[in-house]
Amino acid sequence: MEMKTVAIVSLSSGTIGEDFAKHELELGKKRLEDFGLTVKFMPHALKGIEYVKKHPEDRASDLLAAMKDPEVDMILCAIGGEDTYRLLPYLFDNRELEKVACDKIFLGFSDSTINHLMLHKIGMKTFYGQSFLADICELDKEMLPYTRKYFEELIKTGAIKEITPSDTWYEERTSFGVEDLGTPHPSHPDEGFHLLQGKSAFSGKILGGCIDSLHDFFNGERFEDMPVLCEKYKLFPSKEDWKGRILLLETSEEQMSPEKYERSLCYLKETGIFEVVSGILVGKPMNRVYEKEYNELLIKVIDNPELPIVTNINIGHALPRCIIPFGVEAMVDASAQKITFLN
């Protein structure tokens, strides 16, 4: 299933519509075209940060239009953000999203965790791990090789067969200006997947995402109405739905404090999720900040040495990034350093 047309949607932040990101936008568009893809920016994707923030209804209409468009094979999130939960009423009040459900590729990460759970709710399989601005628009001369490998596999085959670790990790850039075009990231050798506890082999369908977004399901400090809306639309999957799944967790560029991370894990624990999942995959934190503390807290809060936890996965906010299919049976083998998918 080779992709022909990719639709870019701004479901969270409207960053790609800003003048300061123009050089990144042009670079990313050219890269997609070099892959042989036709690029469609949905009507409101380039309207800029302020417009996109004020109009969740237009963000929702872009997603629905991309789903309905017979030419579009893949929906690619422009970037994450913080408030894509505001699309909920426009996608679920009259079953709008359910009516357009299809088997198109949907790819995004970070705040897009919320969009993945929306699509999971209507039975769609999705792909987690990369976005247009963060990955395709990479300012170096090429996309990062490990990142590119998985993106290319997805657009050529419509699936991901297997994930193995990157032998390199990269520090995040501190600036993204025109003057940064063609400059590499500082890089370091990496040591592969790490079995934190439990048995090294386990299986199940993967679901989850950015723990910062999951935190806001249960805590209204950032957005008072988010827990209310998420509860109203039953967005967080039930304990029964989590049964036998593998939970994916990764942290954002905000590099949450260990104290907040502990609170987030406690919120998840209260749902009963750790009693029913078959294992946990943890993305490498950006720049490896708080990596040791997070690992210690996973062991402490979960408090079940039998539950397998594999850390240092190249997913989420640390570079480079693979792509993880949601809704597909996955076989994790930490000792063999691979995760395979039964597509």
Side-chain angles (χ1 to χ4, degrees):
M1 179 195 174
E2 192 160 352
M3 310 284 135
K4 292 186 176 65
T5 302
V6 58
I8 312 284
V9 290
S10 294
L11 303 181
S12 292
S13 169
T15 311
I16 61 164
E18 296 294 331
D19 280 346
F20 65 73
K22 203 167 180 210
H23 59 292
E24 295 178 88
L25 177 77
E26 286 168 0
L27 178 63
K29 184 172 183 288
K30 184 182 184 305
R31 284 213 180 115
L32 290 175
E33 287 167 349
D34 288 347
F35 279 124
L37 295 164
T38 301
V39 185
K40 268 192 183 186
F41 290 95
M42 297 311 286
H44 306 96
L46 297 174
K47 294 264 178 135
I49 289 169
E50 273 310 301
Y51 183 93
V52 166
K53 192 174 184 62
K54 287 177 182 165
H55 294 281
E57 73 283 2
D58 288 342
R59 290 184 254 167
S61 73
D62 280 1
L63 176 60
L64 296 169
M67 286 276 203
K68 284 189 276 196
D69 187 334
E71 286 182 4
V72 170
D73 302 304
M74 175 184 192
I75 301 169
L76 178 60
C77 292
I79 187 76
E82 59 179 15
D83 71 342
T84 197
Y85 77 91
R86 293 172 62 210
L87 277 58
L88 278 162
Y90 309 103
L91 297 175
F92 288 98
D93 276 356
N94 298 298
R95 297 176 41 241
E96 292 90 343
L97 192 57
E98 191 184 335
K99 287 171 186 168
V100 297
C102 55
D103 61 356
K104 286 181 185 183
I105 300 291
F106 178 90
L107 177 62
F109 76 106
S110 193
D111 188 43
S112 307
T113 296
I114 309 297
N115 305 125
H116 284 278
L117 291 174
M118 290 171 178
L119 296 168
H120 169 75
K121 190 173 163 61
I122 59 161
M124 268 185 69
K125 296 172 182 174
T126 56
F127 292 84
Y128 191 89
Q130 296 182 8
S131 72
F132 175 65
L133 193 57
D135 295 289
I136 314 302
C137 305
E138 163 57 48
L139 289 173
D140 204 344
K141 294 184 180 70
E142 302 286 344
M143 281 177 70
L144 298 177
Y146 180 89
T147 302
R148 179 192 168 112
K149 178 180 86 162
Y150 289 103
F151 184 74
E152 215 163 0
E153 181 183 355
L154 185 60
I155 60 171
K156 285 186 172 170
T157 70
I160 299 291
K161 270 192 166 169
E162 182 180 277
I163 290 164
T164 52
S166 171
D167 57 10
T168 306
W169 71 273
Y170 305 86
E171 293 177 32
E172 187 47 274
R173 293 181 183 279
T174 50
S175 63
F176 295 83
V178 178
E179 66 282 1
D180 296 297
L181 280 165
T183 63
H185 294 258
S187 64
H188 308 273
D190 210 345
E191 61 275 1
F193 303 155
H194 172 58
L195 181 65
L196 191 62
Q197 66 169 42
K199 59 185 183 193
S200 62
F202 53 98
S203 62
K205 293 176 179 177
I206 302 172
L207 189 62
C210 183
I211 195 168
D212 302 62
S213 299
L214 297 175
H215 177 93
D216 295 339
F217 270 77
F218 309 101
N219 184 302
E221 280 167 26
R222 195 188 334 215
F223 296 108
E224 204 178 324
D225 61 339
M226 184 166 166
V228 179
L229 280 174
C230 290
E231 176 55 36
K232 179 182 176 182
Y233 293 99
K234 299 279 179 270
L235 192 60
F236 192 80
S238 67
K239 183 176 173 181
E240 186 59 31
D241 193 3
W242 282 107
K243 204 170 183 182
R245 290 187 190 277
I246 296 168
L247 173 64
L248 172 68
L249 295 175
E250 55 96 3
T251 42
S252 83
E253 76 286 354
E254 290 178 14
Q255 299 174 331
M256 66 160 67
S257 68
E259 292 75 22
K260 184 176 177 183
Y261 192 79
E262 183 168 12
R263 281 203 305 281
S264 303
L265 290 175
C266 287
Y267 288 138
L268 290 171
K269 189 172 187 172
E270 283 165 22
T271 69
I273 191 170
F274 299 137
E275 298 162 23
V276 295
V277 293
S278 67
I280 298 174
L281 299 177
V282 183
K284 179 198 295 298
M286 184 187 278
N287 294 345
R288 307 196 82 152
V289 172
Y290 296 132
E291 185 172 34
K292 182 174 177 286
E293 291 89 339
Y294 292 164
N295 288 348
E296 287 169 356
L297 286 166
L298 283 160
I299 292 168
K300 176 188 160 187
V301 175
I302 291 168
D303 193 23
N304 173 11
E306 300 297 307
L307 184 64
I309 304 175
V310 178
T311 65
N312 206 40
I313 309 286
N314 304 107
I315 194 76
H317 288 72
L319 295 166
R321 288 182 264 268
C322 66
I323 293 173
I324 289 185
F326 284 174
V328 171
E329 193 68 22
M331 312 281 293
V332 179
D333 190 336
S335 57
Q337 293 284 292
K338 64 180 182 179
I339 303 168
T340 33
F341 299 96
L342 310 177
N343 294 293

